[in-house]
């Protein structure tokens, strides 16, 4: 009995000591990792974070393997996080002064970091700027300096997934050339099942596309949604018309609904399961269909402009790479980024991930579309894109529009009231982050 | 290290003068309380005070300066529709889940206790308690797939009965209900065990007396079991309410507060504001309100409970 | 023993059996789903039982997930937290129960007050403190804030107060030091309470999700609950992989529970009674 107790005591003390030893060790290990980079042959460990998407991770991995082979002294520690938690983790790591050396960030997130001096400037940014389209660069700029390089031109507009067989069955020709034609086709393609929709004619109700469609409608009417000193303005006649059109797609035309909104799956997932005839989504979702669902009974075709104007749209910068100012290995980090953003690698990456090239020379390369014919629709309209603008809290803007859109559709508030509330909420947030 | 010094003093013990003993005791009190109190200070007192202080600032950890804004965060709270909404959702969730939990667990405990075979009794208890040991986060992940619209378990069951599928987590009418269902499954085990223990502690004499009086089962339950269980019931309801006010993983994993913010409980909203929108000052103000609510509810319960015991 | 009586008992047992089946259903679902193939999950015509069982899910888990590391992280943090909490609670409980010193009442009240604080309230400052200490993304970040427990101190004090003073005095006259008295006399007497507290602390630490979610970044430093959720993010469409991971993680927990079941239940009821 006595022995048992003293053993327990000993274990307790040992455990507590172990705890401190352990924390000491891991601290020591970290300290070693971030130790100064000395000579050529010194081992350098770069911590590289990205979001979780199968195609992205695969492509990054192959580049990392190649790079590590070419640079035996560099070891890249590659970590990925689910999109939902990723920005939070990034913020947390930066505010705890524990950031990764290289981070894959979404362009719209960058201002919050670059404004507070947390990112390293791109070496010779002036000349690098010329290589890219303007829209994807927007988020990475601050005070006309460049703080990161976009890997892709994020675009959720201008193209949609369609099931040609459904069009054939209904005898509808495609591609569609005007907006009213699209709405007509969508009505015919919709298969209702009592109150619920079995097949949605035109599904645009994803977390991103409600907002992007709304903004593109405003731009296509030659309107604008930015007001004075960093405030948004959603009360223009163009905005009211745009929101009314979206509402009608669900309420009047009944070509989509919000039953699956906010669920686990994306509108593209439902599309590939045959839940919609047309799904308005960026070309990145094509990869999901080919890789996860192993289907190829679909096409990616242009979405006509809402007006007779060209199909203008707003774009977030998209995924790109930044280096934290705290990084002890900025030189090696930029070297790796330069490798990743070289034409050859970037071309391969854009092909692998089904993303739209942000670099002009990749986009204009005729071989690119030859290798990935699905991309033609998006490449054709890149010139009509403009940067979404200095939104401080990207997710908040989208959430506000989505929430109020749901209320508008449910008839709980009018379009005008909804827009006013969105504007108030977003501007409060803009002021908070100034 | 102290053990060895104890050994050395052992022989001298009897000759120690009283005030020396006193000094030794004082030393022991100081030596043992100091580290513990430092930990309490750093990880309990300081955070609480700091959190209250933060709620008067517009604070984001990424930024260099954070202006003092007085009561502005609190004023903003009460005009913030989303906050008021989440307050409502929190109360809805706590009320429904706690009441359902207590009724279900009490019934199950009584039923299991009436089983006469010992082995069967403990088998039932084990089965009901099993889900409580799985991490709630893991349970939430598993239940998400069960609620899946296209190929989840529940819609499969509905399909067996030729019923239309339900969008469990995406339909505002069902989302909160679905989370409550999962929450109940995950932790009724605790309260079943507690109630069973409470029932066991009711002396058989009372039941004997009731039987001799010729009372029906229902009367016995109403007049004997329930009053004698009141201590257990109070304990169970206080702990359950306090823990449900802080329910977080199931919401963050299963619904993220959607649809329509119908499942945006306060705990989730505070987390989102603090870590997704970087409004830590504002989030601290919300946390202060949550604290106030929990304190009030607990005080009311304890008051009510005490007056019940008076007779 | 009237007939009606046994009939009623039969009905109650039948109802309980149905309830028990419902309780076990999610486990069954989890296990069965883990043997489904990706294509079967994607095709809308899924059924409860896998049509052509495969081990793809398990293969993917072993290829991608360092889940032994996760289990180890969870075990390390939970064990250390439990051991430390038991020690600090017993020590503080002893001091509060058996000694008088200036400011005792106030101190104890302060400790009690922290018992009611929801974690959401102190989450932000705790995060800031831990990051100031440079412990973010380190197992110590999970351990250090949980080395003490106000609930534990409170429980220990309640139980130690019941120990007769004479017992302690006799030991003191024998010349035993206070620490020795605590180990030799106090601890054995409150062993049942300590084991209950230990079980609770361990479970709370093992299942904690919110704090690790905030404090840990690297996949290989995550604890089980958080790792499972992150894993889920990567495989939302093909949930057989997540289910396989869930099965592999649940198994050891259930085995441990079945071994310690008696203490579990006893501990739970004891704390409820006090």
């Amino acid at each position: 009995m006595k022995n048992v107790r003293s053993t327990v005591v000993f274990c307790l003390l040992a455990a507590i000591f172990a705890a401190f030893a352990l924390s000491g060790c891991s601290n020591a290990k970290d300290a070693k990792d971030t130790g100064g980079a000395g000579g050529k042959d010194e081992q350098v460990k770069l911590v590289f974070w990205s979001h979780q998407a199968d195609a992205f991770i695969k492509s990054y991995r192959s580049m990392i393997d190649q790079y590590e082979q070419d640079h035996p002294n560099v070891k890249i520690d590659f970590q990925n996080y689910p999109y939902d938690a990723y920005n939070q983790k990034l913020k947390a790591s930066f505010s705890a002064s524990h950031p990764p050396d290289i981070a894959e960030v979404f362009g719209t997130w960058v201002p919050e970091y670059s404004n507070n001096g947390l990112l390293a400037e791109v070496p010779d940014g002036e000349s690098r700027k010329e290589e890219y389209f303007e829209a994807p660069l927007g988020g990475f700029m601050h005070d006309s300096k460049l703080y990161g390089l976009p890997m892709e031109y994020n675009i959720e507009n201008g193209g949609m997934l369609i099931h040609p067989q459904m069009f054939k069955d209904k005898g509808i020709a495609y591609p569609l050339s005007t907006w009213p034609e699209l709405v007509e086709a969508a009505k015919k393609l919709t298969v209702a099942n009592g109150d619920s929709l079995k097949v949605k004619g035109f599904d645009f109700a994803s977390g991103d596309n409600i907002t992007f469609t709304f903004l593109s409608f405003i731009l296509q009417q030659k309107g604008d949604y930015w007001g004075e000193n960093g405030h948004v303005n959603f009360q223009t006649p163009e905005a009211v018309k745009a929101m009314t059109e979206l509402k009608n797609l669900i309420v009047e035309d009944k070509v989509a609904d919000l039953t699956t909104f906010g669920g686990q799956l994306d509108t593209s997932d439902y599309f590939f399961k045959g839940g919609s005839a047309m799904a308005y989504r960026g070309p990145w979702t094509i990869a999901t269909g080919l890789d996860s669902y192993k289907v190829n009974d679909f096409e990616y075709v242009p979405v006509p402009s809402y007006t007779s104007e060209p199909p203008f749209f707003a774009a977030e910068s998209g995924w790109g790479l930044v280096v934290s100012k705290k990084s002890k290995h900025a030189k090696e980090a930029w070297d790796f980024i330069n490798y990743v953003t070289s034409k050859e690698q970037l071309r391969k990456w854009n092909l692998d991930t089904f993303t739209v090239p942000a670099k002009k020379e990749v986009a204009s390369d005729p071989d690119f579309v030859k290798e990935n014919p699905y991309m033609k629709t998006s490449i054709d309209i890149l010139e009509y894109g403009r940067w979404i603008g200095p939104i401080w809290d990207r997710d908040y803007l989208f959430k506000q529009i989505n929430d109020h859109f749901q209320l508008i559709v449910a008839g709980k508030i009018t379009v005008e009231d909804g827009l006013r509330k969105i504007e108030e909420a977003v501007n409060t947030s803009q002021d908070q982050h100034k | 290290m102290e053990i060895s010094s104890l050994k050395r003093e052992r022989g001298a013990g009897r000759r120690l003068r009283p005030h020396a003993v006193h000094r030794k005791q004082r030393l022991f009190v100081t030596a043992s309380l100091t580290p513990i109190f430092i930990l309490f200070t750093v990880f309990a007192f300081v955070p609480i005070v700091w959190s209250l202080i933060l709620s008067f600032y517009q604070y984001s950890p990424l930024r260099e300066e954070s202006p003092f804004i007085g009561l502005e965060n609190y004023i903003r709270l009460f005009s913030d529709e989303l906050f008021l909404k989440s307050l409502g959702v929190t109360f809805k969730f706590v009320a429904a889940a706690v009441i359902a939990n207590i009724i279900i667990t009490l019934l199950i405990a009584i039923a299991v206790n009436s089983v006469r075979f010992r082995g069967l009794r403990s088998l039932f208890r084990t089965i009901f308690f099993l889900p409580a040991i799985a991490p709630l986060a893991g349970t939430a992940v598993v239940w998400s797939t069960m609620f899946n619209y296209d190929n989840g378990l529940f819609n499969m069951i509905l399909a067996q009965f030729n019923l239309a599928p339900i969008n469990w987590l995406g339909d505002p009418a069902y989302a909160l209900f679905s989370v409550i269902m999962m929450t109940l499954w995950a932790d009724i085990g605790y309260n079943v065990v507690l109630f069973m223990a409470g029932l066991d502690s009711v002396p058989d004499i009372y039941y004997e007396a009731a039987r001799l009086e010729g009372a029906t089962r229902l009367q016995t339950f109403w007049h004997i079991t329930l009053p004698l269980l009141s201590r257990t019931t109070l304990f169970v309801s206080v702990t359950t309410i306090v823990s449900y006010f802080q329910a977080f993983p199931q919401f963050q994993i299963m619904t993220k507060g959607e649809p329509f913010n119908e499942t945006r409980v306060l705990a989730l909203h505070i987390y989102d504001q603090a870590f997704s929108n970087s409004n830590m000052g504002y989030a601290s103000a919300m946390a202060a309100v949550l604290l106030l609510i929990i304190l009030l509810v607990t005080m009311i319960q304890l008051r009510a409970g005490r007056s019940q015991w008076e007779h | 023993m009237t007939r009606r009586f046994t009939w009623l008992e039969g009905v109650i047992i039948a109802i309980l059996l149905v309830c028990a089946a419902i309780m076990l259903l999610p486990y069954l679902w989890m296990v069965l789903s883990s043997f489904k193939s990706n294509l079967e999950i994607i095709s809308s015509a899924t059924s409860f039982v896998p049509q052509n069982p495969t081990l793809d899910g398990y293969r993917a888990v072993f290829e991608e997930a360092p889940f032994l590391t996760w289990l180890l992280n969870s075990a390390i943090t939970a064990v250390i937290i439990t051991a430390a909490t038991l020690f600090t609670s017993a020590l503080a409980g002893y001091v509060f129960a058996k000694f008088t010193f200036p400011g005792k009442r106030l101190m104890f009240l302060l400790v009690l007050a922290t018992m009611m604080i929801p974690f959401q309230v102190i989450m932000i400052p705790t995060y800031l403190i831990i990051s100031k200490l440079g412990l973010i993304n380190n197992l110590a970040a999970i351990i250090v804030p949980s080395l003490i427990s106000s609930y534990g101190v409170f429980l220990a004090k309640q139980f130690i107060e019941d120990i007769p003073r004479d017992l302690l005095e006799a030991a003191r006259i024998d010349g035993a030091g206070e620490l020795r008295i605590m180990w030799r006399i106090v601890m054995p007497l409150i062993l049942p309470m300590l084991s209950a507290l230990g079980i609770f602390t361990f479970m709370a630490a093992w299942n904690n999700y919110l704090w690790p979610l905030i404090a840990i970044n690297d996949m290989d430093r995550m604890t089980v609950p958080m790792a499972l959720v992150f894993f889920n993010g990567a495989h939302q469409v093909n949930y057989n992989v997540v289910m396989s991971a869930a099965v592999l993680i649940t198994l050891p927990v259930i085995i441990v529970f079945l071994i310690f079941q008696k203490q579990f239940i006893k501990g739970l009821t004891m704390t409820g009674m006090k």
Side-chain angles (χ1 to χ4, degrees):
Chain A
M1 191 68 211
K2 235 195 286 194
N3 280 345
V4 172
R5 227 180 359 261
S6 48
T7 315
V8 171
V9 172
F10 178 76
C11 287
L12 279 178
L13 291 173
I16 291 167
F17 274 120
F20 287 106
L22 210 119
S23 57
C25 278
S26 39
N27 275 342
K29 208 175 70 195
D30 286 348
K32 243 205 312 262
D33 292 342
T34 50
K40 254 271 166 271
D41 301 319
E42 180 109 12
Q43 274 295 321
V44 172
K45 193 179 103 173
L46 293 175
V47 178
F48 173 25
W49 284 9
S50 84
H51 82 296
Q52 272 180 357
D54 290 348
F56 282 53
I57 291 175
K58 240 193 352 231
S59 192
Y60 279 129
R61 267 207 204 287
S62 74
M63 289 200 265
I64 289 169
D65 291 345
Q66 189 55 54
Y67 186 83
E68 283 180 339
Q69 264 178 22
D70 301 346
H71 305 75
N73 64 321
V74 178
K75 177 96 194 58
I76 294 173
D77 180 7
F78 184 43
Q79 312 261 5
N80 349 94
Y81 302 97
Y83 177 81
D84 292 327
Y86 185 43
N87 195 12
Q88 293 170 21
K89 300 294 312 177
L90 266 178
K91 278 183 192 170
S93 72
F94 272 92
S95 57
S97 305
H98 231 293
D101 298 293
I102 305 169
E104 183 204 46
V105 292
F106 209 71
T108 334
W109 302 347
V110 176
E112 201 171 358
Y113 299 92
S114 54
N115 256 19
N116 295 309
L118 298 164
L119 300 180
E121 227 188 297
V122 179
D124 50 37
E126 274 309 312
S127 58
R128 304 285 320 247
K129 265 188 242 175
E130 304 309 314
E131 304 166 9
Y132 291 87
F133 286 103
E134 215 168 313
L137 272 184
F140 295 92
M141 305 288 299
H142 169 60
D143 273 351
S144 64
K145 289 198 187 78
L146 192 56
Y147 286 93
L149 293 174
M151 298 287 289
E152 57 142 355
Y153 187 137
N154 177 270
I155 169 172
E156 292 289 352
N157 293 84
M160 61 182 173
L161 300 158
I162 65 159
H163 282 299
Q165 194 54 47
M166 292 189 187
F167 277 73
K168 279 202 191 79
D169 293 347
K170 295 269 193 250
I172 302 168
Y174 69 91
L176 305 151
S177 49
T178 66
W179 183 254
E181 259 180 54
L182 182 141
V183 177
E184 273 319 297
K187 283 191 205 163
K188 286 187 194 143
L189 289 161
T190 302
V191 181
N193 182 4
D195 268 349
S196 63
L197 298 181
K198 201 159 167 264
V199 177
K200 296 170 187 172
F202 177 69
D203 191 3
F204 63 95
S206 75
D208 293 328
N209 291 71
I210 293 172
T211 302
F212 278 119
T213 312
F214 170 62
L215 297 181
S216 72
F217 282 179
I218 296 176
L219 296 174
Q220 286 161 12
Q221 298 173 71
K222 287 289 202 196
D224 194 3
Y225 50 86
W226 281 101
E228 299 292 298
N229 57 41
H231 277 192
V232 292
N233 176 1
F234 289 141
Q235 311 223 46
T236 57
E238 292 90 355
V240 173
K241 196 165 172 211
M243 189 51 88
T244 311
E245 179 67 30
L246 288 184
K247 172 190 165 181
N248 288 346
L249 282 173
I250 293 182
V251 177
E252 305 281 321
D253 308 330
K254 295 196 171 63
V255 297
D257 61 27
L258 294 171
T259 50
T260 47
F261 184 82
Q264 279 210 312
L265 296 181
D266 189 74
T267 48
S268 56
D269 287 312
Y270 289 108
F271 169 84
F272 293 121
K273 292 175 171 223
S276 56
M278 300 185 259
Y280 201 178
R281 207 73 173 97
W284 58 275
T285 53
I286 297 166
T288 320
L290 299 173
D291 300 344
S292 299
Y293 287 93
K294 309 261 190 281
V295 289
N296 51 12
D297 61 340
F298 64 90
E299 284 181 35
Y300 196 75
V301 300
V303 172
S305 170
Y306 179 52
T307 60
S308 53
E309 296 287 337
F312 293 116
F313 63 94
E316 293 182 279
S317 299
W319 292 106
L321 301 176
V322 296
V323 173
S324 75
K325 205 165 196 162
K326 280 236 160 27
S327 172
K328 299 270 197 305
H329 310 294
K331 203 166 104 310
E332 288 84 353
W334 284 118
D335 188 66
F336 172 71
I337 292 182
N338 287 340
Y339 169 77
V340 170
T341 54
S342 61
K343 184 187 169 190
E344 244 350 270
Q345 294 301 324
L346 205 48
R347 182 168 159 275
K348 190 174 154 307
W349 189 87
N350 285 137
L351 286 171
D352 286 348
T353 56
F354 270 88
T355 46
V356 181
K359 211 172 187 168
K360 291 174 186 164
E361 58 177 349
V362 179
S364 57
D365 183 349
D367 280 352
F368 186 83
V369 177
K370 209 173 285 170
E371 283 204 46
N372 185 354
Y374 283 111
M375 224 20 115
K376 185 176 181 337
T377 301
S378 300
I379 296 231
D380 287 347
I381 59 158
L382 292 186
E383 54 185 301
Y384 301 117
R386 62 172 242 191
W387 180 47
I388 192 168
I391 293 283
W392 279 115
D393 192 335
R394 179 261 180 208
D395 289 355
Y396 189 75
L397 167 84
F398 282 64
K399 183 168 163 45
Q400 288 304 319
I401 294 180
N402 291 337
D403 284 357
H404 288 94
F405 180 65
Q406 292 179 64
L407 293 174
I408 289 168
V409 167
K412 290 185 179 157
I413 45 174
T414 63
V415 170
E416 289 78 4
D417 283 348
L419 288 170
R420 191 170 44 76
K421 285 194 166 144
I422 295 169
E423 187 181 305
E424 278 169 13
V426 172
N427 287 340
T428 308
S429 158
Q430 291 286 87
D431 293 344
Q432 285 269 317
H433 288 83
K434 256 197 195 122
Chain B
M1 67 245 147
E2 253 158 303
I3 309 263
S4 61
S5 63
L6 288 177
K7 274 207 184 99
R8 253 185 294 115
E9 284 182 20
R10 197 170 175 189
R14 282 183 190 283
R15 290 191 300 273
L16 276 177
R17 283 193 298 277
H19 73 258
V21 171
H22 213 74
R23 192 160 2 118
K24 252 179 56 181
Q25 289 192 356
R26 254 220 310 269
L27 188 73
F28 168 73
V29 169
T30 320
S32 51
L33 273 193
T34 308
I36 291 175
F37 243 79
I38 287 175
L39 281 172
F40 262 110
T41 308
V42 175
F43 293 110
F45 307 144
V46 170
I48 293 166
V49 176
W50 193 347
S51 174
L52 289 174
I53 292 173
L54 270 188
S55 68
F56 299 107
Y57 284 85
Q58 182 184 322
Y59 178 75
S60 156
L62 288 180
R63 283 208 267 146
E64 281 137 29
E65 79 291 332
S66 34
F68 176 81
I69 52 170
L71 285 172
E72 217 169 288
N73 281 329
Y74 290 93
I75 294 164
R76 202 176 129 204
L77 272 186
F78 290 97
S79 57
D80 178 350
E81 278 177 32
L82 201 52
F83 170 76
L84 297 175
K85 167 109 201 181
S86 82
L87 210 55
V89 171
T90 309
F91 276 108
K92 229 174 15 188
F93 168 75
V94 171
V98 169
I99 290 169
N101 180 316
I102 287 180
I103 291 172
I104 292 172
T105 51
L106 187 54
L107 287 177
I108 290 178
I110 290 167
V112 174
N113 252 18
S114 75
V115 174
R116 260 181 298 169
F117 315 103
R118 234 205 147 115
L120 197 59
R121 217 172 32 214
S122 65
L123 177 71
F124 277 134
R125 187 164 58 186
T126 305
I127 288 175
F128 285 113
F129 194 75
L130 215 45
I133 57 159
L136 202 55
T139 306
V141 169
V142 173
W143 276 68
S144 290
T145 64
M146 286 163 58
F147 282 129
N148 201 313
Y149 183 77
D150 296 298
N151 43 24
L153 174 68
F154 292 114
N155 282 347
M156 268 183 217
I157 294 172
L158 289 179
Q160 287 295 322
F161 294 100
N162 287 328
L163 293 166
I166 289 174
N167 192 352
W168 295 95
L169 296 174
D171 183 335
Y174 288 97
L176 191 60
F177 170 78
S178 304
V179 180
I180 289 173
M181 211 154 74
M182 172 249 149
T183 307
L184 289 177
W185 179 84
D187 72 5
I188 55 172
Y190 279 112
N191 295 349
V192 167
V193 172
L194 286 173
F195 273 130
M196 278 177 71
L199 289 167
D200 275 339
S201 67
V202 175
D204 284 340
I205 288 186
Y206 287 97
Y207 291 128
E208 283 298 317
R211 219 166 47 87
L212 292 174
E213 297 270 316
T216 61
R217 278 170 170 277
L218 208 63
Q219 282 172 324
T220 315
F221 173 74
W222 200 252
H223 294 290
I224 292 169
T225 315
L226 268 190
L228 287 171
L229 261 187
S230 64
R231 267 186 91 119
T232 312
T233 313
L234 182 76
F235 177 83
V236 163
S237 59
V238 170
T239 49
T240 311
I241 286 179
V242 170
S243 85
Y244 282 8
F245 262 115
Q246 301 175 51
F248 171 81
Q250 58 267 57
F251 291 98
Q252 205 247 356
I253 294 160
M254 285 165 64
T255 65
K256 305 222 164 31
E258 297 307 329
F260 287 111
N261 298 310
E262 280 302 330
T263 60
R264 180 165 288 279
V265 286
L266 217 42
L268 176 72
H269 195 45
I270 291 170
Y271 173 85
D272 274 352
Q273 279 290 335
F275 293 94
S276 325
N277 307 356
S278 309
N279 299 328
M280 286 201 173
Y282 191 44
S284 297
M286 288 184 197
V289 173
L290 177 65
L291 175 61
L292 195 69
I293 292 170
I294 292 187
L295 285 179
L296 276 176
V297 170
T298 317
M299 300 262 271
I300 291 168
Q301 274 198 284
L302 291 175
R303 272 282 145 75
R306 215 169 277 150
S307 64
Q308 228 184 359
W309 290 337
E310 304 293 72
H311 57 243
Chain C
M1 284 291 280
T2 58
R3 252 180 66 185
R4 201 196 58 176
F5 189 56
T6 47
W7 170 79
L8 186 69
E9 272 202 329
V11 170
I12 286 177
I13 289 179
I15 291 172
L16 279 175
L17 283 172
V18 172
C19 290
I22 292 172
M23 291 304 278
L24 292 175
L25 193 62
Y27 284 109
L28 193 64
W29 165 259
M30 179 171 88
V31 173
L32 289 173
S33 299
S34 69
F35 291 110
K36 284 178 183 168
S37 64
N38 286 345
L39 281 174
E40 190 181 337
I41 287 172
I42 282 169
S43 71
S44 289
T46 32
S47 67
F48 186 58
V49 181
Q51 296 306 300
N52 26 24
T54 126
L55 289 172
D56 283 352
Y58 290 93
R59 218 167 284 133
V61 170
F62 280 105
E63 273 167 20
E64 294 175 41
F67 91 68
L68 275 179
T69 315
W70 298 342
L71 278 172
L72 198 66
N73 289 344
S74 272
I76 291 172
T77 51
V79 166
I80 294 174
I81 286 171
T82 308
T85 303
L86 289 181
F87 181 74
T88 56
S89 301
L91 192 60
Y94 178 44
V95 172
F96 278 123
K98 293 294 176 196
F99 292 87
T100 46
F101 50 91
K104 171 175 147 174
R105 262 190 77 98
L106 178 73
M107 273 185 171
F108 189 66
L109 269 179
L110 277 176
V111 171
L112 271 192
T114 61
M115 222 160 89
M116 291 305 302
I117 307 282
F119 182 69
Q120 279 82 12
V121 175
I122 57 168
M123 164 174 87
I124 298 162
T126 307
Y127 170 74
L128 297 171
I129 289 169
I130 288 287
S131 71
K132 287 252 189 315
L133 293 174
L135 295 178
I136 291 291
N137 198 19
N138 186 320
L139 285 186
I142 302 178
I143 297 166
V144 175
S146 309
L147 293 173
I148 40 153
S149 144
S150 45
Y151 180 67
V153 172
F154 170 72
L155 265 187
K157 174 179 177 274
Q158 297 297 83
F159 278 80
I160 294 173
E161 270 174 349
D162 297 343
I163 298 173
R165 197 164 271 278
D166 304 352
L167 250 179
L168 305 177
E169 282 303 327
R172 280 190 192 120
I173 286 165
D174 275 351
E178 294 304 333
L179 258 183
R180 192 190 191 77
I181 292 175
M182 197 183 102
W183 283 122
R184 282 290 163 82
I185 298 166
V186 176
M187 290 281 244
L189 286 172
I190 56 165
L191 212 54
M193 175 241 115
L194 283 181
S195 63
L197 178 65
I199 285 162
F200 280 130
T201 313
F202 189 88
M203 275 182 56
W206 180 270
N207 293 342
N208 195 350
Y209 167 73
L210 176 53
W211 175 240
L213 177 72
I214 295 165
I216 299 291
N217 298 324
D218 290 5
M219 203 69 180
D220 54 5
R221 290 187 193 168
M222 286 181 190
T223 52
V224 165
M226 183 190 169
L228 198 59
V229 174
F230 270 50
F231 204 56
N232 184 36
H235 296 279
Q236 236 161 29
V237 180
N238 307 330
Y239 56 72
N240 57 345
V241 184
V242 185
M243 292 295 133
S244 310
V247 169
L248 292 169
I249 277 159
T250 312
L251 270 181
V253 182
I254 289 184
I255 291 165
V256 170
F257 169 69
L258 291 178
I259 295 170
F260 288 113
Q261 204 190 159
K262 268 213 169 64
Q263 285 87 333
F264 248 91
I265 306 284
K266 213 162 78 187
L268 189 61
T269 52
M270 226 181 60
T271 47
M273 292 300 95
K274 190 72 193 180

